Amino acid sequence: MSLYNRRSLLALPLALAACGFSPVYGPDGSGSKLRGQVFVQEPSTQAGYLLTRHLETRLGRGATEQRYALDINISTEEDGLAVNTAGDITRFNLVGRVEYALRDTTAGTIVTSGKVENFTAYSATGTTVASLAAERNAVERLMVILGDQITARLFAADLPA
């Protein structure tokens, strides 16, 4: 390693500290502020349960009297992708959208809100049972993806002190 590269590597933490960068799980990071402090809205659907379960895994499970409340609205749409010669759809695309709002329960204000969208796909070429299992798996994968997107945006939000 050259001397220039070594100096650049040593100066990197100083440059990041100067620009206001702080680790998410550091002492004043948003991950530490949110851990166990978010009550996720109770789910009413299977997809809502899967998303809530993943969000609670990432953010910690919060009770009803926590500092923040996360309201979510999930919508999914299924589109056929591949059609065989008999006219049967053999592959489906599952698109999911979640609108979310993080509320500060003490101040009664919305801290951050937004919308995330992503997709997964599954094959329906096997038996009915195999196709249903593939669909359930696709929904679970989609909720994990959307949950990760929401978590990343919450960690990037400017939270009140």
Side-chain angles (χ1 to χ4, degrees):
M1 180 181 274
S2 73
L3 184 60
Y4 176 75
N5 288 341
R6 191 172 296 165
R7 284 183 186 162
S8 298
L9 188 62
L10 292 174
L12 184 62
L14 296 174
L16 289 175
C19 75
F21 172 80
S22 65
V24 170
Y25 291 110
D28 293 327
S30 58
S32 299
K33 290 179 184 176
L34 291 175
R35 186 80 184 149
Q37 294 297 312
V38 178
F39 174 73
V40 182
Q41 171 189 334
E42 294 179 7
S44 60
T45 63
Q46 177 69 18
Y49 165 76
L50 294 169
L51 180 61
T52 299
R53 182 180 72 180
H54 186 69
L55 288 169
E56 286 179 347
T57 301
R58 297 287 311 269
L59 298 172
R61 187 173 189 144
T64 54
E65 64 275 346
Q66 295 301 321
R67 169 85 191 261
Y68 301 103
L70 182 63
D71 300 323
I72 53 176
N73 183 17
I74 304 168
S75 64
T76 57
E77 182 180 310
E78 191 174 74
D79 296 320
L81 287 179
V83 180
N84 64 14
T85 56
D88 299 326
I89 299 174
T90 59
R91 188 150 186 86
F92 289 93
N93 196 27
L94 186 63
V95 178
R97 294 173 189 87
V98 178
E99 294 178 11
Y100 65 92
L102 183 69
R103 288 183 294 113
D104 186 336
T105 57
T106 56
T109 59
I110 293 179
V111 176
T112 185
S113 64
K115 181 179 179 180
V116 293
E117 180 177 342
N118 222 309
F119 71 95
T120 58
Y122 67 95
S123 176
T125 57
T127 64
T128 304
V129 173
S131 295
L132 288 173
E135 181 181 9
R136 278 191 222 116
N137 183 271
V139 170
E140 187 168 355
R141 284 183 316 206
L142 181 60
M143 293 305 120
V144 167
I145 293 167
L146 293 171
D148 286 343
Q149 286 180 302
I150 292 170
T151 304
R153 290 192 181 181
L154 293 179
F155 286 161
D158 188 24
L159 300 175

